PDB file of all heavy atoms in Angstrom:
ATOM      1  N   ASP A   8       6.925   3.790   0.458  1.00 98.00           N
ATOM      2  CA  ASP A   8       8.079   3.337  -0.345  1.00 98.00           C
ATOM      3  C   ASP A   8       9.286   4.178   0.008  1.00 98.00           C
ATOM      4  O   ASP A   8       9.197   5.408   0.182  1.00 98.00           O
ATOM      5  CB  ASP A   8       7.799   3.354  -1.794  1.00 98.00           C
ATOM      6  CG  ASP A   8       8.670   2.505  -2.677  1.00 98.00           C
ATOM      7  OD1 ASP A   8       9.930   2.744  -2.612  1.00 98.00           O
ATOM      8  OD2 ASP A   8       8.182   1.623  -3.336  1.00 98.00           O
ATOM      9  N   ASP A   9      10.458   3.500   0.176  1.00 98.00           N
ATOM     10  CA  ASP A   9      11.663   4.383   0.490  1.00 98.00           C
ATOM     11  C   ASP A   9      12.179   5.032  -0.725  1.00 98.00           C
ATOM     12  O   ASP A   9      13.085   5.953  -0.632  1.00 98.00           O
ATOM     13  CB  ASP A   9      12.708   3.365   1.025  1.00 98.00           C
ATOM     14  CG  ASP A   9      13.145   2.321   0.243  1.00 98.00           C
ATOM     15  OD1 ASP A   9      12.158   1.690  -0.271  1.00 98.00           O
ATOM     16  OD2 ASP A   9      14.295   1.909   0.014  1.00 98.00           O
ATOM     17  N   ASP A  52       5.758  -0.846  -0.281  1.00 97.00           N
ATOM     18  CA  ASP A  52       6.874  -1.533  -0.829  1.00 97.00           C
ATOM     19  C   ASP A  52       7.172  -2.757   0.139  1.00 97.00           C
ATOM     20  O   ASP A  52       6.989  -2.669   1.296  1.00 97.00           O
ATOM     21  CB  ASP A  52       8.024  -0.518  -0.855  1.00 97.00           C
ATOM     22  CG  ASP A  52       9.287  -1.028  -1.585  1.00 97.00           C
ATOM     23  OD1 ASP A  52       9.224  -2.019  -2.427  1.00 97.00           O
ATOM     24  OD2 ASP A  52      10.436  -0.499  -1.373  1.00 97.00           O
ATOM     25  N   ASN A  54      10.595  -4.114   0.307  1.00 95.00           N
ATOM     26  CA  ASN A  54      11.961  -3.741   0.861  1.00 95.00           C
ATOM     27  C   ASN A  54      12.201  -2.385   1.164  1.00 95.00           C
ATOM     28  O   ASN A  54      12.248  -1.494   0.275  1.00 95.00           O
ATOM     29  CB  ASN A  54      13.069  -4.256  -0.158  1.00 95.00           C
ATOM     30  CG  ASN A  54      13.010  -5.708  -0.475  1.00 95.00           C
ATOM     31  OD1 ASN A  54      13.153  -6.589   0.390  1.00 95.00           O
ATOM     32  ND2 ASN A  54      12.692  -5.971  -1.746  1.00 95.00           N
ATOM     33  N   MET A  55      12.262  -2.018   2.522  1.00 96.00           N
ATOM     34  CA  MET A  55      12.456  -0.713   3.060  1.00 96.00           C
ATOM     35  C   MET A  55      13.315  -0.813   4.228  1.00 96.00           C
ATOM     36  O   MET A  55      13.331  -1.743   4.933  1.00 96.00           O
ATOM     37  CB  MET A  55      11.101  -0.128   3.374  1.00 96.00           C
ATOM     38  CG  MET A  55      10.101   0.065   2.273  1.00 96.00           C
ATOM     39  SD  MET A  55       8.612   0.932   2.796  1.00 96.00           S
ATOM     40  CE  MET A  55       7.787  -0.399   3.598  1.00 96.00           C
ATOM     41  N   LYS A 104       6.908  -4.549  -9.630  1.00 93.00           N
ATOM     42  CA  LYS A 104       7.586  -3.414 -10.271  1.00 93.00           C
ATOM     43  C   LYS A 104       8.294  -3.915 -11.513  1.00 93.00           C
ATOM     44  O   LYS A 104       8.807  -5.047 -11.570  1.00 93.00           O
ATOM     45  CB  LYS A 104       8.613  -2.789  -9.283  1.00 93.00           C
ATOM     46  CG  LYS A 104       8.087  -2.204  -8.102  1.00 93.00           C
ATOM     47  CD  LYS A 104       9.317  -1.757  -7.206  1.00 93.00           C
ATOM     48  CE  LYS A 104       8.758  -1.236  -5.870  1.00 93.00           C
ATOM     49  NZ  LYS A 104       9.835  -0.721  -5.061  1.00 93.00           N
TER      50      LYS A 104
HETATM   51 MG1   MG B   1      12.332  -0.343  -1.436  1.00 54.43          MG
END
Side-chain angles (χ1 to χ4, degrees):
D8 198 303
D9 54 315
D52 186 22
N54 297 300
M55 295 183 288
K104 293 177 181 179

